[in-house]
Coordinates of all heavy atoms in Angstrom, one line a residue:
D1 N -8.2 -7.8 -21.7 CA -7.2 -7.2 -22.5 C -6.1 -8.2 -22.8 O -5.0 -7.8 -23.4 CB -6.5 -6.0 -21.7 CG -5.9 -6.5 -20.4 OD1 -6.0 -7.7 -20.0 OD2 -5.4 -5.6 -19.6
G2 N -6.3 -9.5 -22.6 CA -5.3 -10.5 -22.9 C -4.3 -10.9 -21.8 O -3.5 -11.8 -22.0
A3 N -4.3 -10.2 -20.7 CA -3.4 -10.5 -19.6 C -3.8 -11.9 -19.0 O -4.9 -12.3 -18.9 CB -3.5 -9.4 -18.5
I4 N -2.7 -12.6 -18.6 CA -2.8 -14.0 -18.2 C -2.3 -14.2 -16.8 O -1.2 -13.7 -16.5 CB -2.1 -14.9 -19.2 CG1 -2.8 -14.9 -20.6 CG2 -2.0 -16.4 -18.7 CD1 -4.1 -15.5 -20.6
V5 N -3.0 -15.0 -16.0 CA -2.5 -15.5 -14.8 C -2.7 -17.0 -14.8 O -3.9 -17.5 -15.1 CB -3.2 -14.9 -13.5 CG1 -2.8 -15.7 -12.3 CG2 -2.9 -13.5 -13.4
A6 N -1.7 -17.8 -14.6 CA -1.8 -19.3 -14.7 C -1.6 -19.9 -13.3 O -0.8 -19.4 -12.5 CB -0.7 -19.8 -15.6
I7 N -2.5 -20.8 -13.0 CA -2.5 -21.4 -11.6 C -2.4 -22.9 -11.6 O -3.2 -23.6 -12.4 CB -3.8 -20.9 -10.9 CG1 -3.9 -19.4 -10.8 CG2 -3.9 -21.5 -9.5 CD1 -5.2 -18.9 -10.3
E8 N -1.6 -23.4 -10.8 CA -1.5 -24.9 -10.6 C -2.0 -25.1 -9.1 O -1.8 -24.3 -8.2 CB -0.1 -25.4 -10.7 CG 0.4 -25.6 -12.2 CD -0.3 -26.9 -12.8 OE1 0.2 -28.0 -12.5 OE2 -1.3 -26.7 -13.5
I9 N -2.7 -26.2 -8.9 CA -3.2 -26.6 -7.6 C -2.8 -28.0 -7.2 O -3.0 -28.9 -8.0 CB -4.8 -26.5 -7.6 CG1 -5.2 -25.1 -8.1 CG2 -5.3 -26.8 -6.3 CD1 -6.5 -25.1 -8.9
K10 N -2.0 -28.1 -6.1 CA -1.5 -29.4 -5.7 C -1.8 -29.7 -4.3 O -1.7 -28.8 -3.4 CB 0.1 -29.4 -5.9 CG 0.5 -29.1 -7.3 CD 0.1 -30.2 -8.3 CE 0.6 -30.0 -9.7 NZ 0.1 -31.0 -10.7
A11 N -2.1 -30.9 -4.0 CA -2.4 -31.4 -2.6 C -1.1 -31.7 -2.0 O -0.9 -32.9 -1.4 CB -3.3 -32.5 -2.6
T12 N -0.1 -30.8 -1.9 CA 1.2 -31.1 -1.3 C 1.5 -30.0 -0.3 O 1.2 -28.8 -0.5 CB 2.3 -31.1 -2.4 OG1 3.6 -31.3 -1.7 CG2 2.4 -29.8 -3.1
S13 N 2.1 -30.4 0.8 CA 2.6 -29.5 1.8 C 4.0 -29.2 1.7 O 4.6 -28.5 2.5 CB 2.3 -30.1 3.2 OG 0.9 -30.3 3.4
S14 N 4.7 -29.7 0.6 CA 6.1 -29.5 0.3 C 6.3 -29.0 -1.1 O 6.8 -29.7 -2.0 CB 6.9 -30.8 0.5 OG 6.7 -31.3 1.9
P15 N 5.8 -27.8 -1.4 CA 5.8 -27.3 -2.8 C 7.2 -27.0 -3.2 O 8.1 -26.6 -2.4 CB 4.9 -26.1 -2.7 CG 5.1 -25.6 -1.3 CD 5.2 -26.8 -0.5
T16 N 7.5 -27.1 -4.5 CA 8.8 -26.8 -5.1 C 8.6 -26.0 -6.3 O 7.5 -26.0 -6.9 CB 9.7 -28.0 -5.4 OG1 9.1 -28.7 -6.4 CG2 9.8 -28.9 -4.1
R17 N 9.6 -25.4 -6.8 CA 9.5 -24.7 -8.1 C 9.2 -25.6 -9.2 O 8.6 -25.2 -10.2 CB 10.9 -24.0 -8.4 CG 10.9 -23.2 -9.7 CD 12.1 -22.4 -9.9 NE 12.1 -21.8 -11.2 CZ 13.0 -20.9 -11.6 NH1 13.9 -20.4 -10.7 NH2 12.9 -20.3 -12.8
G18 N 9.6 -26.9 -9.1 CA 9.3 -27.9 -10.1 C 7.8 -28.0 -10.4 O 7.4 -28.4 -11.5
H19 N 7.0 -27.8 -9.4 CA 5.6 -27.9 -9.6 C 5.0 -26.8 -10.6 O 3.9 -26.9 -11.0 CB 4.8 -27.8 -8.2 CG 5.0 -28.9 -7.3 ND1 5.6 -28.9 -6.1 CD2 4.6 -30.2 -7.5 CE1 5.5 -30.1 -5.6 NE2 4.9 -30.9 -6.4
L20 N 5.9 -25.8 -10.8 CA 5.5 -24.7 -11.7 C 6.2 -24.8 -13.1 O 6.2 -23.9 -13.8 CB 5.8 -23.4 -11.1 CG 4.8 -22.9 -10.0 CD1 5.3 -21.7 -9.3 CD2 3.4 -22.6 -10.6
S21 N 6.7 -26.0 -13.4 CA 7.5 -26.1 -14.6 C 6.6 -25.9 -15.9 O 7.1 -25.2 -16.8 CB 8.1 -27.5 -14.7 OG 7.1 -28.5 -14.7
Q22 N 5.4 -26.3 -15.9 CA 4.5 -26.1 -17.0 C 4.1 -24.6 -17.1 O 4.0 -24.1 -18.2 CB 3.2 -27.0 -17.0 CG 3.5 -28.5 -16.7 CD 4.4 -29.1 -17.8 OE1 4.3 -28.7 -19.0 NE2 5.2 -30.0 -17.4
V23 N 3.9 -24.0 -16.0 CA 3.5 -22.6 -16.0 C 4.7 -21.8 -16.5 O 4.6 -20.8 -17.2 CB 3.1 -22.1 -14.5 CG1 2.9 -20.6 -14.5 CG2 1.8 -22.9 -14.1
G24 N 5.9 -22.2 -16.1 CA 7.1 -21.5 -16.5 C 7.3 -21.6 -18.0 O 7.7 -20.7 -18.7
W25 N 6.9 -22.8 -18.6 CA 6.9 -22.9 -20.0 C 6.0 -22.0 -20.7 O 6.3 -21.3 -21.7 CB 6.6 -24.4 -20.4 CG 6.3 -24.5 -21.9 CD1 7.2 -24.7 -22.9 CD2 5.0 -24.4 -22.5 NE1 6.6 -24.7 -24.1 CE2 5.2 -24.6 -23.9 CE3 3.7 -24.2 -22.1 CZ2 4.2 -24.5 -24.9 CZ3 2.7 -24.2 -23.0 CH2 2.9 -24.4 -24.4
L26 N 4.8 -21.8 -20.1 CA 3.8 -20.9 -20.7 C 4.3 -19.5 -20.6 O 4.1 -18.7 -21.6 CB 2.5 -21.1 -20.0 CG 1.3 -20.1 -20.5 CD1 1.0 -20.4 -21.9 CD2 0.1 -20.3 -19.6
R27 N 4.9 -19.1 -19.5 CA 5.5 -17.8 -19.4 C 6.5 -17.5 -20.5 O 6.4 -16.4 -21.2 CB 6.1 -17.6 -18.0 CG 6.9 -16.3 -17.8 CD 7.9 -16.5 -16.7 NE 8.9 -17.5 -17.1 CZ 9.8 -18.1 -16.2 NH1 9.8 -17.7 -14.9 NH2 10.6 -19.0 -16.6
D28 N 7.4 -18.4 -20.7 CA 8.4 -18.2 -21.7 C 7.8 -18.1 -23.1 O 8.2 -17.3 -23.9 CB 9.5 -19.3 -21.6 CG 10.2 -19.3 -20.3 OD1 10.2 -18.3 -19.6 OD2 10.8 -20.4 -20.0
R29 N 6.8 -19.0 -23.4 CA 6.2 -19.0 -24.7 C 5.5 -17.7 -24.9 O 5.6 -17.1 -26.0 CB 5.2 -20.1 -24.7 CG 4.4 -20.2 -26.0 CD 5.2 -20.7 -27.1 NE 4.3 -21.0 -28.3 CZ 4.8 -21.1 -29.5 NH1 6.0 -20.9 -29.8 NH2 4.0 -21.4 -30.5
L30 N 4.7 -17.2 -23.9 CA 4.0 -15.9 -24.1 C 5.0 -14.7 -24.2 O 4.8 -13.8 -24.9 CB 3.0 -15.7 -23.0 CG 1.8 -16.6 -23.0 CD1 0.9 -16.4 -21.8 CD2 0.9 -16.3 -24.3

């Protein structure tokens, strides 16, 4: 139906919101 889930995968034990910056861009665009 066009619904989207975007996933980033990082080998970090110290995740931050910054790791989702590209996903946030896609959210705003959509």
Side-chain angles (χ1 to χ4, degrees):
D1 63 359
I4 294 293
V5 171
I7 300 172
E8 282 285 278
I9 303 148
K10 300 295 182 187
T12 179
S13 299
S14 304
T16 68
R17 179 174 177 168
H19 287 117
L20 284 169
S21 60
Q22 308 302 324
V23 173
W25 168 83
L26 180 63
R27 175 202 60 194
D28 295 343
R29 176 72 170 162
L30 288 175

